[in-house]
Amino acid sequence: MPISKFESMLKTNSVYFFDATEFEHIIEHYLNIGKHSLARKAVKLGLEQHPSSIQLKLMKVELLVFEDELERAEKLLAEIEAVEPHNDEVFIQKATILSKKKNHVAAIQVLKSSLEFVESPEDIWAMIGMEYLYIDDFENARLNFAKCIEVDYEDYSSLYNIVYCFDMEKNSEDAVKFLNTYLDKNPYSEVAWHQLGRQYYDLEMYKEALQSFDFAVIIDDAFIGGYLEKAKTLEKLERYQEAIDNYLITLELDDPTAFAYIRIGECYQRLDNEATAIHFFKKAVHEDPLLDRGWMLLTNAYYNKKDFAKALYYVQKALQIDEINAFYWRRYGDINLKLNFYEEAVKAFHKCIDLDDNEIEIYIAIADIMLFLGDFRDALDTLIAAKKVYKGYAEIEYRLCGIYMILDQEEKSVLHLKEGLTIDYEYHFIIKELYPSVFQNSKVKQVIADYKLLMK
């Protein structure tokens, strides 16, 4: 074997003779397995023994291009081109260098020039297609990959690229037409059925998508991607038990994934089987402890069961993974509020504001907690900050009315009461709920009564 003989030569520092073809085989072997340093040594020795070998020189060019030694590659390539100007590998390496320099239009022109000299143009069409992809010319890319398909209907790399082009053009309708035409000629392609199902899914044609995925897994009963997409489609059709069955098949075919466990858990939730859902969510976080979504699903499940202590434990797990997620902080605040941990709740809601989750509900929650704790000044500051962001909201105006009255600033209290009544008269009941003593204030009662008369 040339490879074992070559490696023996390197170990013993001996020099053996190999013909040029043997060196080509050795270099190609090392390139294929990613051992470029050994490929370099083989090229060097090969050219020492066969200095006029064009193929070995081209292999050296390939290595130089891989190592970004583009100037050296171009110089050597020019020497080769002077001897064999129509060598298809010369065109390919010239195009590769231009592509590396991000001159994709020039690379396309070089590749097109090579077509009149090559016997099998499908590799060139594929390279042209990739260059068009680099410049986001999806139509021309697709047309070139389609030529590859016409030559070899099992060229799945080109098939995927064609579908990718349709996806980038957001043209699922034409993708469906193309794939159906393809399947007319190659009906036993599980890959094409799978891709067709994905297009139908994107078009919300779930029955057609399901039929396509069915064909894919009938053709290949170990096709994990087909079962996953089939399960997702069954979820859309609200056939949750069947979806679960298909997710379970994927777990039998390959190592378990947190994704599958989560989807199974969510299906059980839709079947109102919360206990089994929790079981699978726990499997998900066991499989992938850094999956914050799994921890949050557990948080929400226990929150809905009103088991706030466990919900707090799980939301803390999620926050350890993603501490800048405002939604997680909001849930953390809600849970602490349910547990009467008011200071922690306020910290959480302030964290939401820091993270630009400053919806009015956050400000209101902080203000109401401060009111409950008797921190009227902090409540006032929070409401004033809220009013700067949310103008014309009765929720803020009525609360400002109550706070100012408690702080003996009756004039300001009445002013905000009138603004609140103007915005939403019916909502003034909130004063009675939050500030019962203020609601009994004679001035407040008079203003509300006068406004009611004005409305008649």
Side-chain angles (χ1 to χ4, degrees), residues 90-128:
V90 170
F91 288 102
I92 289 171
Q93 293 303 331
K94 281 179 73 174
T96 303
I97 292 168
L98 288 166
S99 183
K100 278 215 163 195
K101 290 182 172 182
K102 301 194 184 304
N103 194 347
H104 302 295
V105 174
I108 290 167
Q109 293 308 314
V110 169
L111 290 167
K112 285 182 176 179
S113 300
S114 74
L115 287 170
E116 60 181 294
F117 304 110
V118 298
E119 292 183 10
S120 303
E122 52 268 27
D123 289 341
I124 302 298
W125 288 329
M127 289 184 69
I128 293 172

Side-chain angles (χ1 to χ4, degrees), residues 143-207:
L143 292 172
N144 278 278
F145 291 126
K147 292 176 184 177
C148 299
I149 292 289
E150 288 171 11
V151 174
D152 179 8
Y153 257 73
E154 293 189 359
D155 180 357
Y156 290 134
S157 175
S158 291
L159 180 64
Y160 280 122
N161 281 325
I162 291 169
V163 175
Y164 172 78
C165 291
F166 281 122
D167 286 343
M168 295 305 294
E169 293 173 308
K170 301 188 186 308
N171 190 353
S172 291
E173 291 87 353
D174 283 348
V176 166
K177 292 176 186 175
F178 166 80
L179 287 164
N180 275 313
T181 301
Y182 175 91
L183 284 162
D184 286 341
K185 298 176 182 176
N186 191 13
Y188 297 105
S189 168
E190 72 277 15
V191 171
W193 282 114
H194 176 259
Q195 292 298 309
L196 180 60
R198 284 185 56 250
Q199 298 303 320
Y200 280 132
Y201 186 95
D202 289 344
L203 292 168
E204 299 183 3
M205 299 171 66
Y206 300 121
K207 290 182 180 178

Side-chain angles (χ1 to χ4, degrees), residues 2 15 43 47 61 105 108 133 142 148-149 155 177 186 206 217 238 246 252 259 270 276 295 339 343 361 372 383 422:
V15 178
V43 165
L47 285 172
V61 170
V105 174
I108 290 167
L133 280 184
R142 179 165 43 78
C148 299
I149 292 289
D155 180 357
K177 292 176 186 175
N186 191 13
Y206 300 121
V217 297
E238 300 182 4
N246 279 272
E252 293 171 4
F259 171 82
R270 290 177 174 84
T276 307
W295 295 113
L339 291 167
E343 290 185 3
E361 292 85 357
F372 178 78
L383 290 167
T422 302

